Amino acid sequence: STQGYSSAASDVYKRQILRKLKKGVYHMLISNVIKKCKERYDKKECKHCKDCSFGNYCPNNCEVCLDYLHFPAHVPDDAPKRKYDCVHMADFYTCKYSCRYTSELTYAIKKCSDICNIDELRVLSFGCGPCTDLFALDALKEKRELSFNDVQYHGVDYSKDVWVNIHHDIIEMKKEYMKVSFFYDDMCQYIDKLAQENWTPNLIIFQYVFSDMQKHTLTRNINYFIKKFAEYFNSKILPNSYIILNDINLSRRLDGGREYFDNLQEQLKNTKYHKNHFYNDNSANGGYTYGDTQPVNKNYFDLSDLSSFSPFNTCASAQMIIKKVK
């Protein structure tokens, strides 16, 4: 996409960058991590997923397990609810979804204008999973669209056993300018600990968090977390810091969590915000309305080696971008 570039020269530069990305000239973190996930998944020895925690209910197909996780109504009647609890599913998930989710966050980060002027990014990532927000920042730096010199990345996720291989890959392959730390903790407990520290983020990302919480967490616990986070944000976060909320474009009644975006924003002080959604090519009507329609929904990355994982070649999320103004 060349959306937002005003001159012909910028358009030419953008096309050159995209050609280089397709050819693999840039050594992006996302490409390296996906390669490791694909190698691991292709060599996995559990022919019948014998080590799957879903036990006898395992369909021997990680894509089906992910469908059970994303759509609990699809789970067989006598089976337990599916959760993120399998390293093979994590590798499959990263190969299938990370290019889409990294693209969605790339569009969102580019809307955070003050990030362009920050030398040191301090990123707090809730529900970090395979770290698609870190992938997006790395891709933008490789393309010279962001000029920060350092990024301190604090990834928070309760599922250590699921993401352990991918997080190990990221730490092993991270760039010199990256300082990466993972915190395997409940988000409510972590926010209380963070409030006692001197470290404060200037970019906070909720990546497909609230839709997952809607499926697996009691409403009162979600509201409690939002309250605790708002208290932390209002008292600790400095002006010109951003929150990016990126999630499936569905309401709570459809097992999404989009209303929580607004619940969170309403409890924040001294902020301005913007809502948008991508046109969903896989929906008959283009998806649900949420704020403005993002004019471009194209995936930024080459999917040619991932055909066996059926990755999506377009973006489809709902987003809210919040800036603290004073």
Side-chain angles (χ1 to χ4, degrees), residues 206-225:
F206 291 83
Q207 174 70 320
Y208 285 82
V209 169
F210 288 115
S211 59
D212 185 65
M213 294 180 79
Q214 173 65 21
K215 297 181 183 72
H216 305 293
T217 308
L218 294 174
T219 300
R220 66 172 180 269
N221 292 343
I222 301 173
N223 290 332
Y224 176 76
F225 168 74

Side-chain angles (χ1 to χ4, degrees), residues 84 87 157-167 182-185:
Y84 284 115
V87 292
D157 202 295
Y158 64 86
S159 302
K160 179 179 181 179
D161 292 341
V162 178
W163 303 109
V164 59
N165 291 336
I166 294 167
H167 290 176
F182 292 109
F183 302 86
Y184 302 103
D185 206 344

Side-chain angles (χ1 to χ4, degrees), residues 81-93:
K81 283 189 175 181
R82 196 71 181 93
K83 297 180 180 180
Y84 284 115
D85 56 9
C86 171
V87 292
H88 306 304
M89 186 167 63
D91 284 333
F92 188 97
Y93 177 99

